[in-house]
Structures are given as C-alpha cells and as structure tokens.
Amino acid sequence: MIIKILAFGIAKEIFGGSSIDFALENEVTTVDLKAALEERYPSLAELSSYLLAVNNEYAAPDLTIGAKDEVAIIPPVSGG
Amino acid sequence: MIDILLTSQTLNITGCADAVMSPQSGGIDLFIGTVRDATKGKTVLRLEFEAYEPMAKSEMNKIALQAMEKWPLHKVLIHHRIGVLEVGEVPVIIAVSAAHRAAAFDACRFIIDTLKLTVPIWKKEIFEDGEVWVAAHP
C-alpha cells in the first residue's frame, strides 16, 4: 500500500519536497505511521511537535489510515 | 454571517470593518496583525507564509463557529494572507461585530489566539544571515 503524504513548512525541507509516497504493508494507525515516518526521517523527531491530518482534520492517535486517505504532516503552526 | 478568506492579495482593512457592520451592532472589534521588523533582537527582512489551504479554511471556519456559539455575535470575519510579506504589511485581520463591546472584544481575542494554535499556516522569518520556520524547533 502506498500512502501519499503532503508536507508543509519545515516538513517540506525534511522530506525534500512537498509530498512523498510512503510504502506500508498494511493499514496503520496515526501513532504507527508517525513511528514509521520518524524511522525514515529522524529529523521529524527533533521538531517541537507535529501532528498528522487525515482528510483535512487533525487525526486522533488511534485513527486507521488507508491508501485512499489524504494525509498531511502538520509541523508546529505559526499563522497570524 | 461568517466571512473566511485565505489569499495572496493585500488585505483590505476598511473593507473588513465594513463587512461586519450591521444596524444591530453597537460595536466592532478589529484585530490587525502586522509584520514586525525584528524578533528576539534580530532584524527581520520579510516573512513567507504558506498554508494547507483546504484544511486552513476549514479550521478558520470552525473557530468562527465556536466564537458564534460562545458569544452573541452578529458577524465574524477572518482573513489571512499567504506568500511573501514585507515589514509593515498585514498577514491577518479578524473583525467581529456584536450588540455590545464585551462580546466583540472577547471573541476577537479568542479567534486570533485559537488561530495561532490550530490553523495550518506556517511562517518563515527571513533574516540577513539566514531563515527559520517559526516554532518548528524547541
């Protein structure tokens, strides 16, 4: 299963682009996906914090994420 | 009435105030965020804003709805700019109208404070000797 993950702000620099295609064997929860991402991109763990958004909503830790979902990395926001 | 805008165009301050006026309203509270020329003693040349646009608009709308549930407001406006902004330019305007000033003041503050916590918009500060995504690292 390939999940497309959108990146913004500092996450774009960590990914080296505005999105990545991330390969997974099965559906995952938010927590599992964060762990898998941090394994491949250790710099994510150095951020103050970051959340995942799924289909334009902040994702709860136990949410199951599948290939059809729009996933985005939300590093610490700083609007205003 | 809720008026949400995310744009790369210059924000219109008087237009925002006009947009929330109504005959029932006795007060309008307007918050105007501006680009400051320094942060922690370092000269800032400009800011660059980017947004996860569909989610940012959705989160801005949620904040407006929450404000309308908490206070008796007539109109709520949240406009935010993206792109490159020079010192003195306006990245954000919040405008709120209500029958009485207390609700307008409180709601306006709630909206800007919550926007800064939840809306997926990011700013990069550009200095003479480098650049940094604000709040990214501890």
Side-chain angles (χ1 to χ4, degrees):
Chain A
M1 179 176 79
I2 303 284
I3 296 182
K4 185 179 182 182
I5 301 176
L6 306 176
F8 299 92
I10 186 81
K12 223 165 50 181
E13 292 172 13
I14 292 171
F15 281 1
S18 57
S19 73
I20 52 162
D21 289 327
F22 199 68
L24 290 161
E25 287 184 18
N26 300 301
E27 288 193 334
V28 286
T29 62
T30 305
V31 170
D32 296 338
L33 181 56
K34 284 180 83 168
L37 283 166
E38 284 173 29
E39 202 166 305
R40 184 148 135 209
Y41 299 95
S43 303
L44 283 174
E46 292 165 17
L47 299 176
S48 307
S49 64
Y50 72 96
L51 297 169
L52 293 183
V54 176
N55 303 327
N56 291 307
E57 298 280 347
Y58 286 109
D62 59 349
L63 182 76
T64 302
I65 299 170
K68 286 180 184 166
D69 291 318
E70 180 173 309
V71 182
I73 295 228
I74 311 290
V77 300
S78 52
Chain B
M1 179 219 72
I2 293 174
D3 179 343
I4 303 292
L5 180 70
L6 197 58
T7 178
S8 55
Q9 308 294 309
T10 304
L11 300 184
N12 179 346
I13 296 171
T14 51
C16 288
D18 290 345
V20 298
M21 282 197 188
S22 79
Q24 301 82 37
S25 304
I28 288 171
D29 207 90
L30 195 64
F31 174 81
I32 303 167
T34 51
V35 177
R36 200 176 45 227
D37 67 357
T39 187
K40 292 171 192 158
K42 269 185 97 173
T43 302
V44 171
L45 300 181
R46 61 184 179 278
L47 298 180
E48 288 178 21
F49 287 85
E50 72 170 54
Y52 181 17
E53 293 191 31
M55 184 174 170
K57 285 186 212 165
S58 155
E59 291 293 322
M60 287 157 80
N61 196 59
K62 276 188 206 168
I63 296 169
L65 286 170
Q66 284 168 22
M68 294 192 100
E69 277 174 23
K70 285 164 87 91
W71 292 279
L73 308 176
H74 295 142
K75 297 183 180 178
V76 172
L77 174 148
I78 310 175
H79 287 189
H80 204 297
R81 241 182 108 176
I82 47 177
V84 178
L85 275 78
E86 306 293 334
V87 170
E89 288 197 274
V90 174
V92 64
I93 298 176
I94 314 290
V96 172
S97 59
H100 304 287
R101 69 184 181 284
F105 272 121
D106 292 350
C108 194
R109 183 171 191 132
F110 165 82
I111 292 168
I112 185 61
D113 288 352
T114 310
L115 179 147
K116 282 173 170 281
L117 293 176
T118 66
V119 177
I121 297 176
W122 297 270
K123 70 172 151 251
K124 186 157 70 171
E125 289 171 331
I126 317 294
F127 304 105
E128 281 160 341
D129 60 348
E131 50 187 54
V132 63
W133 286 103
V134 174
H137 292 105

